[in-house]
Structure formats: structure tokens, C-alpha cells
Amino acid sequence: MSTAVYGIFGYPVGHSRSPSMHNAAFAALGIDAVYVPFEVAPESLSTALRGANAMGVRGLNVTLPHKSAIMPLLDVVEPDAQAIGAVNTVVLEDGWIAGANTDAEGLARALRAADVTLRDAAVTVIGAGGAARAAVVGLARAGACRVHVAARRPEAAAQLVQSLSDALPNTTLVASGMDATMAEAFEGTQLLVQATSATLGETPGARAFADSLPLQRLPADCVVTDLVYKPLQTAVMARAAERELRCVDGMGMLLHQGALAFERWTGQAAPLSVMAEALAR
Ligand code: NDP
């Protein structure tokens, strides 16, 4: 049997930590497989996917800018990926190409692994981009009773909530700007999810963003998580830690979305500690 090939499509893709995470997992389980970064320009996405399928590539991750663009090229897209509007995992089997989104469940698993209660939780998600959409779906599926989405453009939050409300009938979804309504929602929040890109990098802008959040309105037992993992302790987490709020970093979501993809591709339980170690290197 020949070496199985897996990979990630991105543009750029050089920064991705997925190759080291998955190659470490294959080695740990003695699976004869390799995971390769593929730099695929937007105009080449369709050709690259057909080529991968023709060459027997077994599975792919998909990152920016292809997460939505790849959807019409797939034979089937799972309902949650449809709702989120993005695919991050592709399974290629017998010429059939299926797409899924493991970010949503990846976040829920990471939070559960950190002992965060999600069932019946009241959550506030800041941001209305792709990561925020995945967070809302993941947390609602995990049993959150209420998710308040706050974005600097209130219309973006309202659009996100409106587009997901049919798919998530058991969770109350509320939208607002990053304003007094959000500050009020903070008072009943058990889990705050920072899902904007504003905390990327250790910049004055990231600190100003953190300072603008009314974290003092959060209850003392609220857990704060930032999906951004560069830096690992973001400005929002630093501010939350000053208030002695419990913080969970974004690396767990990266780990668990990868583990879920690995399990779909191989049918085997992902070696989590090996993968976490590879991510930390
Ligand atoms: P998008 O570009 O889709 O969305 C970014 C969001 O951030 C938008 O809502 C944008 O608002 C908002 N935003 C940016 N800057 C500010 C600011 N200064 N103040 C308020 N809102 C702001 O990105 P993604 O949703 O895909 O990703 C967001 C972050 O999540 C990324 O930086 C990434 O690092 C992280 N991420 C982590 C993952 C993990 O596994 N841990 C997985 C996926 C993402 P607007 O629309 O108004 O510009």
C-alpha cells in the first residue's frame, strides 16, 4: 500500500501549524501517511481540488481564503458547515468529495476539556466573522441556552443571528453592537468568547480594543476565551486575568478542530497530547 497523502489548501499557507500537528499524529500511531501544505491561489482552487481527487489525496484542511469558495466544488457539505458558510475539512473517498466544519465542535470540545460548562450557558460572542459564526454554532449545539453576538457593525451581528436562527432553534440568539446593550449582556454572561481578529499580535490596537471592553461588568465566575492564539495570552485575556477571571486560550480550538479532522480521515482516535506538543513547538 502506498503512503496516504493529506494536506491543507491555503494562500498563503506557510504559517500553518497543521502539517506538524498531523504529521506528528501519523508518526505516533504508525500510520503510513504524510500531510503537506499546498499553496493554492484562489483562481486555481477548482483545478487543485480536482487534481487532488485524481491523485488519490485522502483528506484536506482548507484555510483562508478558500473556506467558503470551496463549498460549491464539493459533492456534499454537512449541515453545520452549510449553516456556518465555511468548510475547513474535506474527505475524499472513492472520487466523492465531502466537506465539513470542525471549528464549531472543536471549540466546544476545547472548552469542555478545560472544564467549562456549556449546557444551559449564557454566552457572549464578540465578532461576526467566520470564527464567530463557528463559535455560535458550536456553542449552541453544545447546549448553550443563549448566545449574544456583539459586533462593531451591529448590522453584521444582526445578519449573523438572522442567518443562523433557523438552524439553531433551541438557543436564544441576540445581536447588538459593541455598545451599552453588550455591556448589559456582560452582566449575565457565563462565557465570553473573543472571536474578532482585533487581538492578533501584541499591538497598541489590540490593547486599545481590550481596554474598550467593559470586562468589569462580567460576573466573577465568568470564563473568558480568545480564539486568537498569536499571542497565546491576548490583550483581552491579560485584562480578564487582572480581574481574576478564568481564561482559556485559542490553542485548544486549533488542536481539537485538527483532532476531529484526523478522526474523520483515519477513523482512529487522535493522539491529542502528541498533537498538542507539536503545536507548542
Ligand atoms: P474574519 O476576518 O472573518 O472576521 C474578523 C472579525 O473581527 C469581523 O467581525 C471584524 O469586524 C472583527 N474585527 C476586526 N478588528 C476589529 C476591531 N478592532 N474591533 C472590533 N471588531 C473587529 O476572521 P475570522 O472570523 O475567520 O477569524 C477571527 C480570528 O479568530 C482570527 O484572527 C483567527 O486568529 C482566530 N481563529 C482561531 C481559530 C482557532 O482554531 N483558535 C480558528 C479560526 C479563527 P468587521 O467585519 O467590522 O471588520
Side-chain angles (χ1 to χ4, degrees), residues 64 67 103 126-133 151-153 156 178 194-200 205 209 226-230 250-255 257:
L64 298 177
K67 281 181 153 185
D103 281 335
I126 304 177
R133 287 185 75 85
R152 65 176 168 187
R153 289 182 300 113
M178 293 176 62
Q194 195 307 107
T196 77
S197 48
T199 57
L200 262 180
F209 173 81
D226 197 325
L227 305 192
V228 169
Y229 50 84
K230 274 186 207 161
M251 201 56 101
M253 177 178 177
L254 183 67
L255 170 67
Q257 64 75 31

Side-chain angles (χ1 to χ4, degrees), residues 16-255:
S16 173
R17 303 202 193 181
S18 293
S20 52
M21 172 167 66
H22 287 290
N23 283 320
F26 290 137
L29 297 188
I31 297 174
D32 183 10
V34 63
Y35 184 107
V36 188
F38 294 110
E39 187 153 288
V40 177
E43 63 275 16
S44 303
L45 179 61
S46 168
T47 319
L49 185 65
R50 275 187 282 126
N53 198 22
M55 291 188 299
V57 170
R58 304 271 188 88
L60 293 166
N61 283 131
V62 184
T63 188
L64 298 177
H66 303 310
K67 281 181 153 185
S68 300
I70 201 163
M71 293 176 69
L73 307 175
L74 304 173
D75 294 313
V76 62
V77 176
E78 289 185 0
D80 276 0
Q82 289 280 13
I84 295 164
V87 158
N88 77 333
T89 299
V90 172
V91 180
L92 302 100
E93 219 168 57
D94 305 325
W96 182 254
I97 315 179
N101 188 306
T102 65
D103 281 335
E105 198 187 338
L107 173 62
R109 271 213 203 178
L111 291 169
R112 277 197 218 97
D115 282 329
V116 179
T117 304
L118 302 178
R119 182 143 301 282
D120 296 328
V123 180
T124 298
V125 174
I126 304 177
R133 287 185 75 85
V136 172
V137 170
L139 297 170
R141 291 274 183 247
C145 62
R146 176 186 165 92
V147 180
H148 183 117
V149 180
R152 65 176 168 187
R153 289 182 300 113
E155 67 277 16
Q159 201 276 331
L160 187 160
V161 160
Q162 199 233 329
S163 66
L164 288 179
S165 57
D166 283 351
L168 306 172
N170 300 324
T171 304
T172 303
L173 300 179
V174 181
S176 78
M178 293 176 62
D179 51 20
T181 308
M182 177 188 80
E184 209 169 294
F186 271 22
E187 290 178 358
T189 294
Q190 290 155 294
L191 171 67
L192 177 67
V193 181
Q194 195 307 107
T196 77
S197 48
T199 57
L200 262 180
E202 286 167 277
T203 64
R207 283 190 289 276
F209 173 81
D211 289 342
S212 75
L213 298 178
L215 300 182
Q216 73 282 358
R217 306 275 295 263
L218 295 169
D221 60 353
C222 178
V223 176
V224 175
T225 187
D226 197 325
L227 305 192
V228 169
Y229 50 84
K230 274 186 207 161
L232 205 51
Q233 196 202 38
T234 66
V236 167
M237 289 166 63
R239 280 277 320 278
E242 278 164 23
R243 265 216 56 207
E244 299 186 353
L245 297 172
R246 188 152 83 84
C247 294
V248 178
D249 66 52
M251 201 56 101
M253 177 178 177
L254 183 67
L255 170 67

